[in-house]
Amino acid sequence: MMKADEERQLIERARRGEVEAFMQLVREYEHRIFQLAYHLTRNREDAADLVQETFLQAFRGIKAFRGNSSFHTWLHRITVNLGLNFLKKQRGASNPLGDLDSLEEKGRGGELAEAGGIPSVEDSWLSEGFKTNLQKALEELPPAFRATFSLVVQEGMSHKKAAELLGCSENTVSWRMHEARKMLKRKLQPFLSKK
Amino acid sequence: MKCEQAQKLISDRLDGKLSRWKETRLARHLTTCELCRDYLKAQEVIQREALKIEKVDCPPEWWQQFEQALQEKLIHSTSEEEAISVLSANVSASIKEDENNNKRGRFWTFKTHARQAASLLVVVVAVTLFLILFIRQDKKEGIPFPLTLSYEDSYFNLSQILADDEEAASNFASSLEETILEETFLAGSEETFVDTEYDYQIYNDIIKPESLQTESINSEEGL
């Protein structure tokens, strides 16, 4: 773990355009940023692209970094913004009507299972099959809900921290979590009821 | 409490964001609502399974390649930035040069205008001087310059001439009288026409010597 003073010095050097100083910061945070990117994209290649883009943007914009938040938070914010853009593009390409209502309608009749993405109900709800379905259900959440769920549940952030990264209020985070959970339950209902 | 409200509180509880007061309310609702108890159970399963989704990591070789590729891009980005800054510096320099040229152009334009204005001023001053000198010369000769003298000046000048020269004054008075009479006759208006004969008769009547004499005689007779 890097000390605060050391980090500050590296940031200063990176501001002056020293690539090696910035690379030391990259090595410090790349794994955590990759995890976040992976939670958002659910794909290694996309996550790697997202991490690379995050660091490129951070390097270009490091002169604008004033230290109001920690460098780690700042990197997280860039990743979340890029991740949301990525998810919106991805969703636009795969599902032009990718809004909440269409997603909910799709989830209601268990059409996810009919589409062939979900294994048979006989599989245990704790089996790999359930995990796969859960991952698929998470992927199909609207981008903002998915990002919020990833930050709060998988990254273990508080509502306050997630709100800071997402640029919204804590109440919005709380509401999104509630709605995301309802959508996930609806999609996974056949497996959950079996239990 | 409605089930929708209870489910929202369940979500907040799973995120560790439920106050003690809300916790009590939720617990009270859960004791009476089977639907919400099932909902809580389902959400706990989803939460647990979501946390179990493996944390993905990559082998060290992969990270090495990633860092190398990123470093190359950063260096490329720096050189691009430098090139852009040099380019922008050149562009700004050329813009400044253009601005200077434009300023020079405007300066010359301004100078032309200044020269034109100066030329006009010289002409005006020359004309004014010429007129002043000419007027002074005319004043010395005693003849006013009608185009440049005001009414008051003309009157003053004329009155001085007439005061100095009796003959001129007499000629001026007679010519003025003639002019007035001529204009009066030429006007031909009966209303404005002066009957000199009538005036003459009245005049004669008033100052008739015989009348005076009669009075005096009468007075003498009376006396």
Side-chain angles (χ1 to χ4, degrees):
Chain A
M1 192 79 175
M2 193 180 281
K3 286 180 183 174
D5 285 345
E6 192 185 349
E7 186 179 283
R8 211 174 298 125
Q9 283 174 4
L10 288 172
I11 291 167
E12 272 306 313
R13 283 171 56 198
R15 269 193 189 134
R16 291 197 292 268
E18 283 188 41
V19 174
E20 185 45 48
F22 188 77
M23 282 309 294
Q24 285 189 49
L25 292 165
V26 169
R27 284 179 207 111
E28 176 68 22
Y29 292 111
E30 62 189 359
H31 292 269
R32 279 179 271 178
I33 295 296
F34 183 83
Q35 286 301 327
L36 176 63
Y38 182 76
H39 285 145
L40 292 169
T41 59
R42 306 276 161 196
N43 180 294
R44 280 180 193 234
E45 285 72 34
D46 291 337
D49 287 345
L50 196 56
V51 174
Q52 195 176 64
E53 193 56 34
T54 298
F55 284 118
L56 280 170
Q57 284 213 5
F59 186 68
R60 284 182 201 131
I62 199 162
K63 283 176 186 170
F65 174 66
R66 296 178 186 277
N68 294 333
S69 61
S70 71
F71 187 67
H72 179 230
T73 303
W74 187 61
L75 284 177
H76 263 69
R77 199 175 294 144
I78 295 171
T79 313
V80 169
N81 285 338
L82 290 171
L84 281 171
N85 289 340
F86 170 82
L87 292 176
K88 281 173 190 168
K89 275 183 194 169
Q90 194 187 44
R91 191 163 196 82
S94 63
N95 177 19
L97 301 170
D99 56 1
L100 182 62
D101 292 337
S102 67
L103 187 76
E104 285 183 349
E105 283 298 320
K106 230 171 114 183
R108 260 177 209 132
E111 288 168 18
L112 203 66
E114 290 169 19
I118 295 175
S120 67
V121 177
E122 283 70 32
D123 287 350
S124 165
W125 58 277
L126 285 174
S127 70
E128 283 301 308
F130 183 83
K131 283 181 188 172
T132 310
N133 292 320
L134 177 59
Q135 284 199 14
K136 193 162 177 62
L138 283 169
E139 281 170 29
E140 291 194 15
L141 286 175
F145 294 81
R146 181 167 159 188
T148 308
F149 190 87
S150 295
L151 292 175
V152 174
V153 176
Q154 292 168 308
E155 291 286 319
M157 288 182 190
S158 66
H159 284 193
K160 190 179 176 183
K161 181 83 175 171
E164 190 188 339
L165 290 181
L166 293 162
C168 62
S169 69
E170 285 184 56
N171 284 338
T172 303
V173 171
S174 174
W175 176 78
R176 279 183 190 168
M177 286 304 295
H178 173 49
E179 291 298 322
R181 285 189 166 109
K182 281 200 295 183
M183 283 185 267
L184 289 173
K185 184 180 176 290
R186 209 173 288 140
K187 284 170 181 293
L188 299 166
Q189 189 60 46
F191 312 99
L192 292 165
S193 59
K194 184 72 181 169
K195 167 69 183 165
Chain B
M1 184 190 282
K2 289 181 182 174
C3 288
E4 176 66 21
Q5 288 174 306
Q7 286 168 13
K8 169 76 169 57
L9 293 182
I10 286 169
S11 176
D12 284 343
R13 191 169 91 167
L14 289 168
D15 295 338
K17 204 183 178 307
L18 200 62
S19 65
R20 194 173 291 174
W21 177 69
K22 284 181 180 172
E23 179 76 53
T24 311
R25 283 185 69 201
L26 177 63
R28 202 180 299 145
H29 178 82
L30 288 173
T31 53
T32 57
C33 181
E34 193 181 351
L35 190 76
C36 285
R37 280 201 300 273
D38 287 345
Y39 184 85
L40 173 62
K41 212 174 188 178
Q43 288 301 344
E44 281 173 343
V45 170
I46 291 169
Q47 181 97 345
R48 193 167 57 239
E49 291 305 307
L51 286 167
K52 275 184 187 172
I53 292 173
E54 78 273 33
K55 288 198 169 182
V56 182
D57 208 350
C58 303
E61 301 81 41
W62 187 89
W63 281 114
Q64 211 172 346
Q65 283 180 1
F66 172 82
E67 285 167 15
Q68 202 174 342
L70 179 66
Q71 192 162 6
E72 279 171 16
K73 283 198 173 183
L74 289 174
I75 291 165
H76 185 64
S77 157
T78 313
S79 58
E80 263 183 2
E81 271 182 16
E82 278 172 7
I84 287 166
S85 66
V86 168
L87 187 69
S88 65
N90 288 339
V91 168
S92 60
S94 71
I95 287 168
K96 273 186 183 175
E97 198 178 339
D98 286 347
E99 280 176 358
N100 287 338
N101 287 339
N102 288 339
K103 275 183 188 172
R104 221 175 287 147
R106 281 199 291 274
F107 174 71
W108 281 108
T109 310
F110 173 72
K111 203 172 180 184
T112 310
H113 287 309
R115 282 193 297 182
Q116 285 173 356
S119 307
L120 189 66
L121 189 68
V122 167
V123 170
V124 168
V125 168
V127 169
T128 312
L129 284 171
F130 170 76
L131 289 174
I132 289 166
L133 290 171
F134 188 73
I135 289 163
R136 280 189 179 175
Q137 199 179 358
D138 281 349
K139 274 186 179 175
K140 279 178 188 172
E141 288 173 2
I143 301 167
F145 189 61
L147 291 174
T148 55
L149 289 178
S150 66
Y151 175 76
E152 287 80 9
D153 288 343
S154 304
Y155 180 78
F156 180 69
N157 208 349
L158 181 65
S159 62
Q160 271 192 331
I161 292 166
L162 294 176
D164 294 342
D165 192 344
E166 281 183 12
E167 192 183 345
S170 150
N171 289 338
F172 179 75
S174 61
S175 83
L176 189 67
E177 191 179 358
E178 279 174 13
T179 309
I180 291 167
L181 285 171
E182 192 180 339
E183 284 188 1
T184 309
F185 281 119
L186 283 172
S189 168
E190 289 180 359
E191 289 174 4
T192 54
F193 180 73
V194 180
D195 190 348
T196 49
E197 194 69 27
Y198 174 76
D199 283 347
Y200 178 75
Q201 281 177 1
I202 291 171
Y203 178 72
N204 285 341
D205 286 345
I206 293 167
I207 58 168
K208 198 174 171 181
E210 291 86 353
S211 306
L212 291 170
Q213 199 175 358
T214 307
E215 280 177 12
S216 64
I217 290 168
N218 289 341
S219 64
E220 279 177 11
E221 283 176 356
L223 290 170

